Amino acid sequence: MLIDDPNVADEATLPLFFWLPRPAGAGTQPPQQYQLNVEFDKRITENFGFALNSGYSWLRAPGAKTANGWQNLAVTLKYKPYVNAEHEFMMSVGVVRSFARTGANGSNGAVLGNSDSGSTTPMFYFGKGLGDLPIGYLRPFAITGTFGYQIADKKLKLTGIDPDSGNPLFNNGTSNQWVGGITVQYSLLYLQSQVKDFNFPDWVNRLTPLAEATWSSPASNPNNMSTQYLVGAGVNYTSRDYAMAIEMLIPGNRQSGSHLGLVAQFHLYFDDLLPTSLGKPLVSF
């Protein structure tokens, strides 16, 4: 839920709910950040597709008016050039384009995390199942990861020094960033079908415990951002047509958040739900 997977597919997240208390000063109540996000993924060909991401955000701070508005639209193009079924390995490359001022802008947008500068992020994605290991109970493990470099349309520049506080003043540009993440998953369905059947109820076999971690760090100077880490730990339930998941969010440092949060989603698989329409590539060779 925190990072994208390496596959190219026909699916949708409707919706993803995100809640995390933001950083706060000593002795003050933390602002509460809420989001309802949506994502639509569509294959153009078998191995090439796109995704649309947006959502609505709320930020509630004690003693202040609630800030709310749409997030900036992000469009992803992804191509899957390599799959090794024998070793359960997959890799993809892509680019994520964030469009400035497509959501809430101005001071309200800045509070919600929207940038006045768009960005382009070349990305690398991978996934590796451990089914080729000789130790049976390790085979249901899988690892996925992403790595990218976010390039801002408008570079951040130092414009002066505040005479009262002595703090630097910047324009409305942004710094370039390194971004990435990794997940570790354990599929009980794989355990039941490929390793050993413990006669668990069917709903238990459809669970996948997982942990995720994301990271971002400024990659150019000057910058007014800090390195951030966010960890998610939870479980996914996968049916034939849909999946549901919930994770506890754990800030990795004070810049990422002040307390534990929560993320949950409902996900649809169009290749099973609508295999002759939304569930197939737009172009078939």
Side-chain angles (χ1 to χ4, degrees):
M1 288 184 285
L2 300 182
I3 69 169
D4 198 4
D5 69 83
N7 201 18
V8 179
D10 300 302
E11 54 194 21
T13 296
L14 299 169
L16 180 145
F17 170 76
F18 180 96
W19 163 62
L20 185 68
R22 299 257 303 247
T28 62
Q29 293 295 317
Q32 305 293 316
Q33 178 185 358
Y34 303 90
Q35 294 179 5
L36 277 178
N37 298 345
V38 294
E39 178 178 332
F40 175 73
D41 296 69
K42 186 77 192 84
R43 287 180 296 172
I44 299 173
T45 67
E46 185 67 28
N47 296 315
F48 176 66
F50 69 89
L52 306 175
N53 295 78
S54 190
Y56 201 84
S57 298
W58 296 262
L59 185 67
R60 295 178 178 175
K65 183 180 179 181
T66 297
N68 57 81
W70 288 98
Q71 300 163 30
N72 285 341
L73 174 67
V75 178
T76 300
L77 296 177
K78 188 191 296 183
Y79 174 63
K80 181 176 64 179
Y82 182 73
V83 176
N84 187 319
E86 179 183 0
H87 294 287
E88 299 182 358
F89 179 79
M90 175 188 300
M91 64 163 286
S92 298
V93 292
V95 60
V96 180
R97 175 64 189 170
S98 177
F99 294 91
R101 297 184 173 272
T102 52
N105 52 56
S107 58
N108 192 51
V111 168
L112 296 173
N114 285 347
S115 173
D116 279 342
S117 171
S119 64
T120 301
T121 310
M123 295 291 300
F124 171 76
Y125 310 85
F126 77 90
K128 175 70 175 78
L130 302 189
D132 52 359
L133 291 180
I135 303 172
Y137 293 121
L138 295 181
R139 293 174 59 206
F141 274 109
I143 300 169
T144 71
T146 64
F147 184 74
Y149 185 75
Q150 180 177 296
I151 305 167
D153 290 351
K154 184 177 182 180
K155 299 295 190 281
L156 187 72
K157 292 183 178 179
L158 182 66
T159 59
I161 301 295
D162 189 311
D164 297 323
S165 66
N167 294 327
L169 299 174
F170 298 98
N171 66 351
N172 62 346
T174 58
S175 301
N176 295 343
Q177 290 190 81
W178 295 105
V179 295
I182 193 167
T183 79
V184 178
Q185 313 165 25
Y186 193 86
S187 171
L188 296 182
L189 192 61
Y190 192 107
L191 176 70
Q192 179 262 332
S193 63
Q194 302 295 327
V195 181
K196 183 177 180 180
D197 187 354
F198 287 93
N199 295 314
F200 294 141
D202 182 64
W203 69 269
V204 174
N205 286 328
R206 293 184 175 276
L207 298 177
T208 302
L210 72 156
E212 300 184 84
T214 63
W215 151 78
S216 64
S217 181
S220 61
N221 287 311
N223 66 75
N224 58 356
M225 294 180 276
S226 58
T227 299
Q228 298 188 21
Y229 305 95
L230 186 62
V231 176
V235 65
N236 183 85
Y237 172 86
T238 305
S239 180
R240 186 181 72 91
D241 303 329
Y242 66 90
M244 298 183 294
I246 187 168
E247 290 180 359
M248 177 175 62
L249 295 177
I250 307 165
N253 56 11
R254 290 294 300 176
Q255 291 74 29
S256 305
S258 57
H259 297 80
L260 298 179
L262 181 75
V263 61
Q265 76 171 10
F266 181 75
H267 200 75
L268 296 172
Y269 301 118
F270 292 134
D271 54 348
D272 291 314
L273 280 169
L274 302 166
T276 61
S277 54
L278 274 180
K280 67 177 184 178
L282 296 176
V283 179
S284 297
F285 298 100

